[in-house]
């Protein structure tokens, strides 16, 4: 479980996170939703120690995250940032292998190799595993970075808008894979998505961010409500029930 | 396989290098060298060949490392002011410790080179415009500023007439006894190989490196120390060799990718071969005189650099 307690962050005079408290339940998928610039990415960066918080406390497994050694932390928590696609000439396989780095430090054993191939297969990249990533499409590259995070094989996985660049087929596939990771492997997953219907269909919990605060947190079913959606996104939605699965309709 | 071919080529050009020079020594006479010829071999030809080898390997790998650290393929010791800083250090040591030996020059040159590299990296990380050409341009300007400062002191003390031409790469005066500090470059090359994975990860960016549990800062500074040591010993013994650190890693990247575990050896081999060939050309073109190798490398390297810009610019 990840506990965020009274975390605040300012960039200059600008308040980015205002006294945020939330706990992300273990073994579940929590979707972070909210408008642009509300601080979702900043929150994920702070949880993964890429950005320093101004105040507050974050616990991972009841231990303050600042007390973890770099390598131990990297074995427990991985993050895929919103835009981390540097223009390097590594093959798909080479890049995914670096996901094993916290475990192998570059000397891969049989288990490491197996995880790499498994992650590549999970993301449907087996056919192109020897291609350079700077020659792939945006979606293929996105899936390669996802495969790298999967190969890291951590209990906690943070994904910042991983469905960017992806077509509908791959988006749905990835959400299904995340479901398997949570249900069968007990992974705790926090994911930022923009299309609320991915959250309503695949998330266990939803955390809604607005005005630099988490204004709602709860079971998906309890959050997907017309009044809450209006409050969070500032648009009118009609919610229909489709075989026990709520779908938000927000097109005119 | 490619590696073996490259090693063979390197052996061949090294061999040729040893037998090219003012004094004619034929390859076929190698088993019956007279006293004189043996002396030329041991005192001049072999040291020269070894220096070219180490300088070629060292400068190419230095380029590779700074390109990873800055995540920019056009950054190199030439285009980030490191070489100008080395010259500045040597000049300052001549001013401050006139009688001081190699040690003073080395320490001052290394310190200023490291400082300049750190400053360059700080400046370039502040620049919001991450244009691939803009950053090295800033580095060149930075180097010119260092050079101008050096020139000022050089004039005042009347030590060096022409800062631009001073210490231009030249292996002609290398003999046994004055090149040995170049051997300091050897452990750096070995360390670069051992740290190859970490440098590759640093090239993926600070966030990715950190999320893989790497201390990004430490590896960055370590890389800059490697580069400053190598640049210092090369400038001190052979002089400034531009472009090598720029073009060799780029050629290797285009051909073999950016996984340093794989490419450190290619970079080393191709860098050594390239410099060895330039050295032979420099000695043959106007024999019995020599063109400074720095010049030869600049001309050939400059042309390759232009080609690379057009190739790379297409995928920016
Ligand atoms: N490094 C930074 N320096 C200054 N402001 C930043 C920085 N990173 C993010 N911000 C600002 O913080 C706000 C929240 O950003 P972010 O967390 O990326 O939002 P979200 O992911 O919800 O769209 C934005 O207004 C952004 O401009
Ligand atoms: Mg964001």
């Amino acid at each position: 479980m990840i506990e965020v307690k009274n975390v605040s962050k300012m960039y200059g005079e600008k308040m980015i996170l205002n006294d945020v408290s939330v706990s992300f339940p273990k073994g579940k998928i929590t979707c972070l939703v909210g408008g642009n610039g509300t601080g979702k990415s900043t929150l994920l960066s702070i949880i993964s120690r890429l950005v320093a918080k101004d105040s507050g406390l974050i616990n991972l497994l009841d231990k303050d995250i600042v007390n973890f050694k770099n390598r131990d932390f990297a074995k427990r928590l991985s993050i895929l940032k919103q835009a981390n696609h540097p223009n390097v000439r590594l093959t798909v396989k080479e890049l995914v292998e670096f996901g094993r780095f916290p475990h192998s430090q570059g000397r891969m054993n049989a288990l490491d190799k197996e995880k790499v191939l498994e992650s590549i297969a999970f993301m449907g990249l087996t056919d192109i595993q020897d291609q350079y990533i700077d020659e792939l499409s945006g979606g293929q590259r996105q899936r390669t970075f996802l495969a790298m995070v999967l190969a890291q094989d951590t209990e906690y996985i943070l994904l910042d808008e991983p469905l960017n660049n992806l077509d509908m087929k791959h988006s749905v596939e990835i959400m299904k894979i995340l479901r398997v990771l949570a249900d069968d492997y007990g992974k705790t997953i926090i994911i930022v998505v923009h299309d609320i219907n991915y959250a309503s269909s695949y998330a266990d919990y939803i955390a809604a961010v607005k005005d630099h605060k988490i204004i709602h947190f709860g079971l998906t079913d309890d959050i997907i409500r017309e009044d809450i959606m209006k409050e969070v996104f500032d648009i009118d939605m009609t919610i229909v029930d489709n075989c026990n699965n709520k779908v938000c309709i927000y097109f005119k | 396989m490619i590696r073996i071919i490259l090693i063979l080529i390197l052996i061949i050009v090294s061999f040729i290098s040893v037998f090219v020079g003012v004094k004619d020594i034929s390859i076929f006479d190698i088993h019956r060298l007279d006293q004189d010829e043996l002396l030329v071999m041991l005192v001049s030809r072999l040291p020269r060949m070894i220096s070219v080898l180490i300088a070629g390997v060292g400068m190419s790998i230095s380029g590779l490392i700074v390109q990873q650290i800055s995540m920019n393929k056009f950054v190199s010791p030439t285009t980030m002011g490191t070489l100008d800083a080395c010259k500045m250090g040597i000049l300052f040591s001549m001013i401050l410790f006139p009688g001081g030996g190699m040690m003073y020059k080395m320490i001052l040159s290394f310190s200023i080179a490291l400082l300049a590299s750190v400053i360059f990296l700080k400046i370039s990380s502040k620049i919001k415009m991450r244009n691939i050409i803009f950053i090295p341009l800033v580095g060149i300007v930075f180097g010119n500023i260092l050079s101008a400062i050096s020139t000022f002191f050089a004039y005042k003390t009347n030590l060096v007439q022409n800062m631009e031409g001073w210490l231009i790469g030249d292996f002609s005066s290398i003999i046994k006894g004055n090149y040995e500090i170049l051997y300091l470059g050897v452990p750096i090359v070995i360390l670069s190989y051992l740290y190859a994975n970490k440098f590759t990860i640093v090239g993926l960016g600070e966030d990715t490196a950190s999320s893989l549990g790497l201390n990004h800062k430490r590896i960055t500074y370590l890389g800059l120390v490697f580069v400053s040591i190598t640049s210092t010993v090369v400038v001190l013994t052979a002089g400034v060799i531009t472009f090598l650190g720029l073009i060799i890693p780029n050629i290797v990247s285009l051909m073999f990718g950016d996984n340093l575990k794989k490419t450190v050896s290619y970079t080393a081999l191709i860098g050594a071969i390239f410099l060895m060939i330039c050295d032979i050309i420099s000695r043959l073109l106007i024999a019995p005189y020599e063109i400074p190798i720095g010049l030869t490398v600049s001309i050939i390297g400059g042309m390759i650099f232009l080609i690379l810009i057009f190739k790379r610019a297409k995928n920016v």
Side-chain angles (χ1 to χ4, degrees), chain A residues 86-116:
Chain A
N87 201 13
V88 292
R89 280 174 74 74
L90 295 176
T91 65
V92 168
K93 193 165 174 219
E94 284 172 338
L95 186 83
V96 176
E97 282 174 351
F98 280 112
R100 294 305 297 170
F101 193 78
H103 308 272
S104 70
Q105 296 291 301
R107 282 176 295 277
M108 303 226 300
N109 60 26
L111 175 74
D112 295 317
K113 287 182 184 145
E114 190 189 313
K115 287 279 177 205
V116 168

Coordinates of all heavy atoms in Angstrom, one line a residue, chain A residues 86-116:
Chain A
P86 N 13.4 9.1 -25.3 CA 14.6 9.7 -25.9 C 14.9 9.0 -27.2 O 14.6 7.8 -27.4 CB 15.7 9.4 -24.8 CG 15.2 8.2 -24.1 CD 13.7 8.3 -24.1
N87 N 15.5 9.8 -28.0 CA 15.8 9.3 -29.4 C 17.1 8.5 -29.4 O 18.1 8.9 -30.0 CB 15.9 10.5 -30.3 CG 15.6 10.1 -31.7 OD1 15.2 9.0 -32.0 ND2 16.0 11.0 -32.6
V88 N 17.1 7.3 -28.8 CA 18.3 6.5 -28.8 C 18.2 5.3 -29.8 O 17.1 4.9 -30.1 CB 18.6 6.0 -27.4 CG1 18.9 7.1 -26.5 CG2 17.4 5.2 -26.9
R89 N 19.3 4.8 -30.2 CA 19.3 3.7 -31.1 C 19.6 2.4 -30.3 O 20.7 1.9 -30.3 CB 20.4 3.9 -32.2 CG 19.8 4.8 -33.3 CD 20.9 5.1 -34.3 NE 21.2 3.9 -35.2 CZ 20.4 3.5 -36.2 NH1 19.3 4.1 -36.4 NH2 20.8 2.5 -36.9
L90 N 18.6 2.0 -29.5 CA 18.6 0.7 -28.9 C 17.5 -0.1 -29.5 O 16.5 0.4 -29.9 CB 18.3 0.8 -27.4 CG 19.3 1.6 -26.5 CD1 18.8 1.7 -25.1 CD2 20.7 0.9 -26.5
T91 N 17.8 -1.4 -29.6 CA 16.7 -2.3 -30.1 C 15.6 -2.5 -29.0 O 15.9 -2.2 -27.8 CB 17.2 -3.7 -30.5 OG1 17.7 -4.3 -29.4 CG2 18.3 -3.5 -31.5
V92 N 14.5 -2.9 -29.4 CA 13.4 -3.2 -28.5 C 13.9 -4.1 -27.4 O 13.7 -3.8 -26.2 CB 12.2 -3.8 -29.2 CG1 11.2 -4.3 -28.2 CG2 11.5 -2.8 -30.2
K93 N 14.5 -5.1 -27.7 CA 15.0 -6.1 -26.7 C 16.0 -5.5 -25.8 O 16.0 -5.6 -24.6 CB 15.6 -7.3 -27.4 CG 15.8 -8.5 -26.5 CD 16.0 -9.7 -27.3 CE 16.4 -10.8 -26.3 NZ 17.4 -11.7 -26.9
E94 N 17.0 -4.7 -26.4 CA 18.0 -4.1 -25.5 C 17.4 -3.2 -24.5 O 17.7 -3.2 -23.3 CB 19.0 -3.3 -26.4 CG 20.0 -4.1 -27.1 CD 20.8 -3.3 -28.2 OE1 20.4 -2.3 -28.6 OE2 21.9 -3.8 -28.5
L95 N 16.4 -2.4 -24.9 CA 15.8 -1.4 -24.0 C 15.0 -2.2 -22.9 O 15.1 -1.9 -21.7 CB 14.8 -0.5 -24.7 CG 14.3 0.6 -23.8 CD1 15.3 1.7 -23.7 CD2 12.9 1.1 -24.2
V96 N 14.3 -3.2 -23.3 CA 13.5 -3.9 -22.3 C 14.4 -4.6 -21.3 O 14.1 -4.7 -20.1 CB 12.6 -5.0 -23.0 CG1 11.8 -5.8 -22.0 CG2 11.6 -4.3 -23.9
E97 N 15.6 -5.0 -21.8 CA 16.6 -5.7 -20.9 C 17.0 -4.7 -19.8 O 17.3 -5.1 -18.7 CB 17.8 -6.1 -21.7 CG 17.5 -7.5 -22.4 CD 18.7 -7.9 -23.3 OE1 19.6 -7.1 -23.5 OE2 18.6 -9.0 -23.8
F98 N 17.0 -3.4 -20.1 CA 17.4 -2.5 -19.1 C 16.4 -2.4 -18.0 O 16.7 -1.9 -16.8 CB 17.7 -1.1 -19.7 CG 19.1 -1.0 -20.3 CD1 19.2 -0.9 -21.7 CD2 20.2 -1.1 -19.5 CE1 20.5 -0.8 -22.2 CE2 21.5 -1.0 -20.0 CZ 21.6 -0.9 -21.4
G99 N 15.2 -2.8 -18.2 CA 14.2 -2.9 -17.2 C 14.6 -3.9 -16.1 O 14.2 -3.7 -14.9
R100 N 15.5 -4.8 -16.4 CA 16.0 -5.8 -15.4 C 17.2 -5.2 -14.6 O 17.7 -5.9 -13.7 CB 16.4 -7.1 -16.1 CG 15.3 -7.9 -16.7 CD 14.2 -8.2 -15.8 NE 14.6 -9.1 -14.7 CZ 13.8 -9.3 -13.6 NH1 12.6 -8.8 -13.6 NH2 14.2 -10.1 -12.6
F101 N 17.6 -4.0 -15.0 CA 18.9 -3.5 -14.4 C 18.9 -3.5 -12.8 O 19.8 -3.9 -12.2 CB 19.2 -2.2 -14.9 CG 20.6 -1.7 -14.6 CD1 21.7 -2.2 -15.3 CD2 20.8 -0.9 -13.6 CE1 23.0 -1.9 -15.0 CE2 22.1 -0.5 -13.2 CZ 23.2 -1.0 -14.0
P102 N 17.7 -3.1 -12.2 CA 17.8 -3.1 -10.7 C 18.0 -4.5 -10.1 O 18.6 -4.6 -9.1 CB 16.4 -2.6 -10.3 CG 15.9 -1.9 -11.5 CD 16.5 -2.5 -12.7
H103 N 17.6 -5.5 -10.8 CA 17.8 -6.9 -10.3 C 19.2 -7.4 -10.8 O 19.9 -8.0 -10.0 CB 16.7 -7.8 -10.9 CG 15.3 -7.3 -10.6 ND1 14.6 -7.5 -9.5 CD2 14.5 -6.5 -11.4 CE1 13.5 -6.9 -9.5 NE2 13.4 -6.3 -10.6
S104 N 19.5 -7.2 -12.0 CA 20.7 -7.9 -12.6 C 22.0 -7.1 -12.6 O 23.0 -7.6 -12.7 CB 20.4 -8.3 -14.0 OG 20.4 -7.1 -14.8
Q105 N 21.8 -5.8 -12.5 CA 23.0 -4.9 -12.6 C 23.8 -5.2 -13.9 O 25.0 -5.0 -13.9 CB 23.9 -5.0 -11.4 CG 23.3 -4.5 -10.1 CD 23.0 -3.0 -10.1 OE1 24.0 -2.2 -10.2 NE2 21.8 -2.6 -9.9
G106 N 23.1 -5.6 -14.9 CA 23.7 -5.8 -16.2 C 24.2 -7.3 -16.4 O 24.5 -7.6 -17.6
R107 N 24.2 -8.1 -15.4 CA 24.5 -9.5 -15.6 C 23.3 -10.3 -15.5 O 22.9 -10.7 -14.4 CB 25.6 -10.0 -14.6 CG 27.0 -9.5 -14.9 CD 27.9 -9.9 -13.8 NE 27.6 -9.2 -12.5 CZ 28.0 -8.0 -12.2 NH1 28.7 -7.3 -13.1 NH2 27.6 -7.4 -11.1
M108 N 22.7 -10.6 -16.6 CA 21.3 -11.2 -16.6 C 21.4 -12.7 -16.5 O 22.2 -13.4 -17.2 CB 20.6 -10.9 -17.9 CG 20.5 -9.4 -18.2 SD 18.9 -9.0 -18.7 CE 18.8 -9.9 -20.1
N109 N 20.6 -13.3 -15.6 CA 20.5 -14.7 -15.4 C 19.3 -15.2 -16.2 O 18.6 -14.5 -16.9 CB 20.5 -15.1 -13.9 CG 19.3 -14.5 -13.2 OD1 18.3 -14.2 -13.9 ND2 19.4 -14.3 -11.9
A110 N 19.0 -16.5 -16.0 CA 18.0 -17.1 -16.8 C 16.6 -16.5 -16.5 O 15.8 -16.2 -17.4 CB 17.9 -18.6 -16.5
L111 N 16.4 -16.2 -15.2 CA 15.1 -15.6 -14.8 C 15.0 -14.2 -15.5 O 13.9 -13.8 -16.0 CB 15.1 -15.4 -13.3 CG 13.8 -14.7 -12.8 CD1 12.6 -15.5 -12.9 CD2 14.0 -14.2 -11.3
D112 N 16.1 -13.4 -15.5 CA 16.0 -12.1 -16.1 C 15.6 -12.2 -17.6 O 14.8 -11.4 -18.1 CB 17.4 -11.4 -16.0 CG 17.7 -11.1 -14.5 OD1 16.8 -10.6 -13.8 OD2 18.9 -11.3 -14.1
K113 N 16.3 -13.1 -18.2 CA 16.0 -13.3 -19.7 C 14.6 -13.7 -19.9 O 13.9 -13.2 -20.9 CB 17.0 -14.3 -20.3 CG 18.4 -13.7 -20.4 CD 19.4 -14.7 -21.0 CE 20.8 -14.1 -21.0 NZ 21.8 -15.2 -20.8
E114 N 14.1 -14.6 -19.1 CA 12.7 -15.0 -19.2 C 11.7 -13.9 -19.1 O 10.8 -13.7 -19.8 CB 12.5 -16.1 -18.2 CG 11.2 -16.9 -18.3 CD 10.9 -17.8 -17.1 OE1 11.9 -18.5 -16.7 OE2 9.8 -17.7 -16.6
K115 N 12.0 -13.0 -18.0 CA 11.1 -11.9 -17.8 C 11.1 -10.9 -19.0 O 10.1 -10.4 -19.4 CB 11.6 -11.1 -16.6 CG 11.3 -11.8 -15.3 CD 9.9 -11.6 -14.8 CE 9.6 -12.4 -13.5 NZ 8.2 -12.7 -13.3
V116 N 12.3 -10.8 -19.6 CA 12.4 -9.9 -20.7 C 11.5 -10.4 -21.9 O 10.7 -9.7 -22.5 CB 13.9 -9.7 -21.2 CG1 14.0 -9.1 -22.5 CG2 14.6 -8.9 -20.1

